[in-house]
């Protein structure tokens, strides 16, 4: 099947892009890497009046450290993020998670911002960036605003962005990133979207007691699911034991609402989430304790 007819624009600046989004509203769609959007067009699940190709906006393609943040331009390719030494040295979980994204061809075209805007709840980058407490910078012709990812994702494939807005950057606070980290996922075949994924971040003291961190899981709810602070606090000031892990994992999974589909039942996803969250916590704890030795 071929896409429906549309007008095509290739703006040369963010300002021109925002003007087009203002003019076309819901009928204008952004084309970045196209790894998710092109199949949607071809299947005519979306029939926009125009496509706005932003691939020439080099001002949105960067990875830099600035003002206590790792700042990533929305048009940065996933493969560039995977290969970035700056990202690996400041936020190593990003490289670990990026290697699970599709195939190398997918990562060569797919963009960091595009993955967030597509908002697939089982995708690697939304889950990992949520775990890191990242914020997105969103621009319109009238203003620029900042949004935390736990408020950015609304439901399946839906964010709080308006039709005239463009995601321009991702900011990750790096001054207090936990030393222990791990990303785990399970998919039916290499390169497929994960059935379930999990990410953990942990800091420990010299005695191995947990000082803080975060846990998140994907594929078990309409959005990536972040452990609530009151649930995570079961681990604070304690060594990581099987009983404490079980308690945190059960609380997370109880709040999830997974769907059954042709790939897996809801029950299977819940069981898989328990396994992967536990695995990510163990690995993050091991890395945290080793870093303090």
């Amino acid at each position: 099947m071929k896409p429906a007819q549309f007008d095509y624009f290739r703006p040369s600046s963010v300002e021109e892009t925002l003007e087009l989004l203002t003019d076309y509203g819901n009928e204008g769609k952004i084309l970045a890497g196209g790894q998710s959007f092109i199949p949607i067009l071809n299947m005519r699940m979306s029939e926009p009046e125009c496509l706005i190709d932003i691939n020439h906006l080099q001002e949105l393609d960067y990875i830099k450290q600035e003002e206590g943040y790792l700042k990533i331009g929305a048009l940065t390719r996933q493969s560039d993020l995977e290969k970035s030494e700056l990202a690996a040295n400041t936020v190593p979980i990003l490289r670990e998670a990026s290697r699970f994204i599709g195939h190398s061809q997918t990562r060569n075209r797919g963009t960091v911002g595009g993955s967030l805007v597509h908002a697939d709840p089982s995708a690697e980058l939304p889950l990992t960036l949520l775990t890191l407490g990242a914020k997105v910078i969103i621009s319109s012709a009238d203003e620029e605003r900042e949004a935390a990812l736990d408020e950015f994702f609304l439901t399946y494939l839906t964010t709080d962005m308006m039709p005239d807005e463009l995601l321009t950057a991702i900011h990750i606070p790096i001054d207090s990133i936990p030393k222990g980290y791990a990303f785990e996922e399970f998919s039916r075949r290499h390169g497929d979207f994960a059935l379930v994924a999990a990410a953990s971040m942990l800091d420990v003291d010299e005695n191995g007691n947990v000082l803080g961190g975060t846990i998140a899981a994907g594929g078990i709810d309409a959005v990536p699911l972040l452990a609530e602070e009151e649930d995570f606090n079961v681990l604070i000031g304690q060594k990581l034991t099987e009983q404490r892990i079980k308690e945190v994992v059960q609380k997370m999974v109880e709040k999830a609402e997974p769907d059954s589909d042709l790939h897996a039942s809801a029950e299977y996803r819940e069981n898989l989430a328990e396994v992967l969250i536990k695995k990510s916590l163990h690995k993050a704890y091991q890395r945290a304790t080793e870093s303090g030795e």
Side-chain angles (χ1 to χ4, degrees):
M1 184 179 290
K2 296 181 179 180
Q5 185 174 350
F6 54 80
D7 292 330
Y8 173 82
F9 295 92
R10 191 172 69 177
S12 57
S13 67
V14 169
E15 290 72 19
E16 185 181 350
T17 303
L18 296 177
E19 289 175 6
L20 288 166
L21 287 171
T22 299
D23 292 341
Y24 281 90
N26 282 318
E27 294 304 320
K29 298 297 181 183
I30 294 293
L31 175 63
Q35 298 305 287
S36 299
F37 189 49
I38 293 299
I40 289 173
L41 281 178
N42 287 337
M43 291 185 286
R44 299 202 177 192
M45 296 171 66
S46 177
E47 298 185 16
E49 186 176 325
C50 80
L51 285 190
I52 304 168
D53 185 348
I54 64 171
N55 278 281
H56 294 267
L57 302 186
Q58 294 304 310
E59 60 195 291
L60 298 183
D61 184 2
Y62 59 83
I63 301 173
K64 61 185 179 181
Q65 184 176 343
E66 190 176 77
E67 300 170 343
Y69 291 91
L70 182 69
K71 297 183 177 181
I72 304 170
L75 203 59
T76 301
R77 305 295 168 178
Q78 295 158 0
S79 59
D80 291 335
L81 181 63
E82 176 191 6
K83 297 170 186 175
S84 169
E85 291 302 321
L86 175 59
N89 291 334
T90 54
V91 194
I93 193 174
L94 278 178
R95 174 174 286 181
E96 184 160 282
S98 296
R99 290 172 171 166
F100 284 93
I101 301 172
H103 302 278
S104 58
Q105 299 94 323
T106 311
R107 299 192 292 275
N108 285 340
R109 291 297 304 166
T111 64
V112 178
S115 180
L116 293 179
V117 173
H118 186 57
D120 190 302
S122 63
E124 293 82 2
L125 289 180
L127 170 63
T128 307
L129 290 167
L130 176 67
T131 310
L132 289 165
K135 297 180 179 180
V136 289
I137 308 302
I138 302 167
S139 299
S140 68
D142 297 325
E143 65 175 353
E144 180 178 274
R145 65 184 178 95
E146 183 180 84
L149 284 185
D150 58 353
E151 298 173 350
F152 179 71
F153 302 121
L154 298 182
T155 187
Y156 184 70
L157 303 182
T158 305
T159 70
D160 79 337
M161 287 180 61
M162 301 302 291
D164 64 342
E165 291 184 319
L166 176 71
L167 192 153
T168 56
I170 301 95
H171 292 178
I172 306 168
I174 58 174
D175 286 342
S176 58
I177 288 184
K179 301 296 183 183
Y181 66 92
F183 182 91
E184 300 286 344
E185 77 167 46
F186 179 82
S187 57
R188 296 180 66 196
R189 297 172 300 182
H190 172 67
D192 283 0
F193 273 115
L195 289 181
V196 175
S200 293
M201 305 285 293
L202 288 177
D203 256 336
V204 300
D205 63 19
E206 64 276 9
N207 298 315
N209 297 317
V210 176
L211 295 174
T214 52
I215 313 167
I220 57 171
D221 209 294
V223 297
L225 190 63
L226 190 67
E228 295 184 7
E229 184 177 353
E230 62 183 32
D231 296 337
F232 186 88
N233 283 345
V234 150
L235 304 177
I236 299 297
Q238 309 289 336
K239 288 184 170 60
L240 201 67
T241 64
E242 290 298 328
Q243 181 57 39
R244 294 189 181 103
I245 290 175
K246 182 178 180 181
E247 188 173 344
V248 171
V249 170
Q250 285 181 339
K251 287 181 178 180
M252 283 187 68
V253 173
E254 284 172 2
K255 293 172 183 176
E257 296 182 1
D259 291 326
S260 295
D261 55 30
L262 58 88
H263 301 298
S265 67
E267 182 181 10
Y268 182 81
R269 290 181 187 275
E270 289 179 352
N271 291 335
L272 187 56
E274 292 181 5
V275 172
L276 293 182
I277 296 170
K278 289 178 183 177
K279 189 174 181 180
S280 71
L281 277 170
H282 277 296
K283 185 180 289 186
Y285 186 72
Q286 180 180 359
R287 285 171 166 165
T289 53
E290 290 174 350
S291 70
E293 293 177 354

